[in-house]
Amino acid sequence: MKQKIYVVGIGPGAPKMMTPQARQALEESDVIAGYPVYLKLLGDLVQNKKTIATPMTREEERCRLCFEEAKKGCIASIVCSGDSGVYGMASLMYDLLPEYPGCELEIIPGITAAVSGAAVLGAPIGHDFCVISLSDRLTPWEIIEKRLSAAADGDFCIAIYNPSSKGRPDYLKRACEILLRKVCPERMCGYVRNIGREGTEYKICTLEQLKDEQVDMFTTVFIGNSQSHVVKGKLVTGRNYHINTHMQKEN
Amino acid sequence: MKQKIYVVGIGPGAPKMMTPQARQALEESDVIAGYPVYLKLLGDLVQNKKTIATPMTREEERCRLCFEEAKKGCIASIVCSGDSGVYGMASLMYDLLPEYPGCELEIIPGITAAVSGAAVLGAPIGHDFCVISLSDRLTPWEIIEKRLSAAADGDFCIAIYNPSSKGRPDYLKRACEILLRKVCPERMCGYVRNIGREGTEYKICTLEQLKDEQVDMFTTVFIGNSQSHVVKGKLVTGRNYHINTHMQKEN
């Protein structure tokens, strides 16, 4: 008896950015679970299938419902926007797996916002980079602050997920202020809104300017490293690492 | 006259992991440039097309040949394994773009090894993470060392690209030794070889064990954060961040 669950990264939203592997997993599935907005993005792929939608803060419930469906002997998928591992459901599904010993998990990767957003902005993460979420729902703010600070120490490019939400409108400003303790205000940055969906928009600006930008939860923010520069309106971080005067000035 | 160049991330290699957007770009192209191994991975997609293959260390030449082809008024693609931005050709193409003013670039993202490798290992990058290349061909080793150290300070999960090559067989060992100054030897790690290609293999081990593992250039290595643990033989880093005794012991 099959008791299989795919944990599927569907990419940013556009069907052209979902891998054939992800599409096939969804087509094979009898049941598809996900945050309501993501199920809507799937369009035809969820038609004539049982769907399980639970709101944003009820991920564990969604995961358990998915296991319960699989236990009945069917194939279930739980979908995540972007990748299934990066802040996705893969880790929670593994942590629950021992409670459902007959079930088997398969993780299907997807295009995460760090790479899809970077493609819109140019090439901001062409060298070593960090991905940091500013959401303190599951992570203490001190840890987030420590990571931002360490990322600046390491001269990493940074992709920031969940830069803001209604409940925490000033988090990006706070993050920029932490970075500005170690990084010059002219550091090149950028952000992208609605990646791979209708109304994609982006902006390139300095770290100083970024501090006062208004962004929402559908935005991914990029902080350049000391080598990042603008070419024809795009944010570029080269693969060559020059220890130049700019770098020396900053560190 | 079209003078369009797609910079295409083809994913790890398996056709099922290449996005429809990437496939379409290649289908539209008159000319496809790439490292010979990647062109071979494309199979039918390069048939009946002009191809430009230059070896690993001649990326600039490959990029320039691609621009020269586009200048003739055709559509060209330059392919990168994984993503086109992450250590890919996107940044170099932008840096050369001002020399070819009639040309237009479009960056097509792909599944990078951090996410495809993570899917094989379980869910190692379920929380904030860094991507670091150990190749010192274009980056001074001191910078790499500084980044490893900063990543440990920030308690990031780390995905390590280019962990080894014939010319630098001991780089992963050196990286582990740097991390071991700040991270306990029992820290859970893993690595994946030949992601999305024939003969995919992986191993989970501690940081102390990883130090003496032999890996090659087709391997991606993952270092867990203080919360990473093993569930049913898979490496998992949860989305919840518990400040637990394990964490306190280490920091």
Side-chain angles (χ1 to χ4, degrees):
Chain A
M1 197 172 75
K2 293 174 210 160
Q3 294 189 16
K4 172 123 189 177
I5 303 174
Y6 293 110
V7 188
V8 183
I10 61 170
K16 69 179 178 181
M17 295 173 89
M18 184 192 299
T19 66
Q21 183 184 32
R23 175 169 294 272
Q24 195 189 328
L26 297 177
E27 282 169 354
E28 271 180 36
S29 297
D30 307 297
V31 182
I32 299 180
Y35 178 57
V37 173
Y38 304 158
L39 292 178
K40 206 174 159 190
L41 283 172
L42 293 176
D44 288 353
L45 278 166
V46 296
Q47 272 195 338
N48 307 319
K49 290 185 192 286
K50 180 169 178 177
T51 57
I52 298 169
T54 69
M56 187 67 91
T57 52
R58 287 171 47 198
E59 287 93 354
E60 184 175 334
E61 180 188 345
R62 191 188 310 149
C63 289
R64 288 190 181 281
L65 288 169
C66 204
F67 276 115
E68 293 299 335
E69 290 293 334
K71 267 177 72 178
K72 295 176 191 166
C74 67
I75 301 180
S77 278
I78 183 162
V79 298
C80 312
S81 78
D83 178 46
S84 47
V86 177
Y87 310 112
M89 293 294 122
S91 58
L92 183 50
M93 289 297 282
Y94 269 112
D95 278 336
L96 296 173
L97 182 61
E99 297 180 43
Y100 303 91
C103 291
E104 184 200 339
L105 292 182
E106 183 174 341
I107 311 299
I108 313 283
I111 302 272
T112 187
V115 296
S116 58
V120 175
L121 280 178
I125 54 168
H127 208 289
D128 304 332
F129 67 98
C130 292
V131 174
I132 301 175
S133 167
L134 296 193
S135 169
D136 61 354
R137 186 159 70 85
L138 302 172
T139 306
W141 178 257
E142 311 85 77
I143 301 277
I144 298 170
E145 192 159 325
K146 182 173 86 163
R147 289 200 174 134
L148 288 165
S149 195
D153 287 338
D155 193 30
F156 283 98
C157 312
I158 311 171
I160 294 180
Y161 285 45
N162 307 309
S164 176
S165 73
K166 279 178 197 156
R168 39 183 189 81
D170 64 334
Y171 276 30
L172 180 59
K173 190 185 186 76
R174 287 167 65 179
C176 290
E177 281 165 354
I178 291 160
L179 294 172
L180 281 165
R181 290 178 204 154
K182 300 191 167 177
V183 169
C184 74
E186 295 78 29
R187 176 66 61 92
M188 290 315 302
C189 299
Y191 60 88
V192 192
R193 190 168 179 275
N194 284 334
I195 303 164
R197 302 185 193 173
E198 253 183 69
T200 301
E201 45 189 0
Y202 72 94
K203 185 171 176 180
I204 310 281
C205 59
T206 66
L207 180 57
E208 182 67 29
Q209 291 163 336
L210 181 67
K211 186 164 63 77
D212 298 311
E213 291 287 324
Q214 294 303 317
V215 299
D216 63 16
M217 60 184 290
F218 303 107
T219 304
T220 306
V221 174
F222 293 78
I223 316 289
N225 74 9
S226 63
Q227 313 290 304
S228 301
H229 53 278
V230 177
V231 180
K232 292 203 167 189
K234 297 282 184 167
L235 183 59
V236 177
T237 307
R239 299 162 79 237
N240 275 40
Y241 207 93
H242 309 288
I243 310 217
N244 62 15
T245 48
H246 180 69
M247 175 84 190
Q248 283 160 3
K249 194 176 67 190
E250 283 198 29
N251 287 293
Chain B
M1 195 172 78
K2 291 175 212 159
Q3 293 189 17
K4 172 122 190 177
I5 303 175
Y6 293 109
V7 188
V8 182
I10 62 171
K16 68 180 178 180
M17 294 173 89
M18 185 192 301
T19 66
Q21 182 184 32
R23 176 169 293 271
Q24 194 189 328
L26 297 177
E27 282 169 355
E28 272 180 35
S29 296
D30 307 298
V31 182
I32 299 179
Y35 178 57
V37 173
Y38 304 158
L39 292 178
K40 205 173 159 192
L41 284 172
L42 294 176
D44 289 351
L45 278 167
V46 296
Q47 271 195 338
N48 306 319
K49 292 185 192 286
K50 181 167 178 176
T51 57
I52 299 170
T54 68
M56 187 67 90
T57 53
R58 289 177 37 204
E59 287 95 354
E60 185 175 334
E61 180 187 345
R62 191 188 310 150
C63 289
R64 288 190 181 281
L65 288 169
C66 204
F67 275 116
E68 294 298 336
E69 290 292 333
K71 267 177 72 178
K72 294 176 191 166
C74 68
I75 301 180
S77 278
I78 182 161
V79 297
C80 311
S81 77
D83 178 46
S84 47
V86 177
Y87 310 113
M89 293 294 123
S91 58
L92 183 50
M93 289 297 283
Y94 269 111
D95 279 335
L96 296 172
L97 182 61
E99 297 180 43
Y100 304 90
C103 291
E104 183 200 338
L105 292 182
E106 184 173 342
I107 311 300
I108 312 283
I111 302 272
T112 187
V115 297
S116 58
V120 174
L121 281 178
I125 53 169
H127 209 290
D128 304 333
F129 67 99
C130 293
V131 174
I132 301 175
S133 167
L134 296 192
S135 169
D136 60 354
R137 186 159 71 82
L138 302 172
T139 305
W141 178 257
E142 310 86 76
I143 301 276
I144 298 170
E145 192 159 325
K146 182 174 85 163
R147 290 199 172 135
L148 288 164
S149 195
D153 286 338
D155 192 31
F156 284 99
C157 311
I158 311 172
I160 293 180
Y161 285 45
N162 306 308
S164 176
S165 73
K166 279 178 196 155
R168 40 184 190 79
D170 65 333
Y171 276 31
L172 180 59
K173 190 184 185 75
R174 287 166 65 179
C176 289
E177 282 165 354
I178 290 159
L179 294 172
L180 281 164
R181 290 178 203 155
K182 299 190 168 178
V183 169
C184 75
E186 296 78 29
R187 175 67 59 92
M188 291 315 302
C189 300
Y191 59 88
V192 192
R193 189 168 179 274
N194 284 334
I195 303 165
R197 302 184 193 174
E198 254 182 69
T200 302
E201 45 189 0
Y202 72 93
K203 186 170 177 181
I204 309 282
C205 59
T206 66
L207 180 57
E208 182 67 30
Q209 290 163 338
L210 181 66
K211 184 163 64 77
D212 298 311
E213 291 288 323
Q214 295 302 317
V215 300
D216 63 16
M217 60 185 290
F218 303 107
T219 304
T220 307
V221 174
F222 293 79
I223 315 289
N225 73 10
S226 63
Q227 311 291 302
S228 301
H229 53 277
V230 176
V231 179
K232 292 202 166 190
K234 298 281 183 166
L235 183 58
V236 178
T237 307
R239 301 162 77 238
N240 275 41
Y241 207 92
H242 310 287
I243 310 215
N244 62 14
T245 48
H246 180 68
M247 175 83 189
Q248 282 160 3
K249 194 177 68 191
E250 283 198 31
N251 287 292

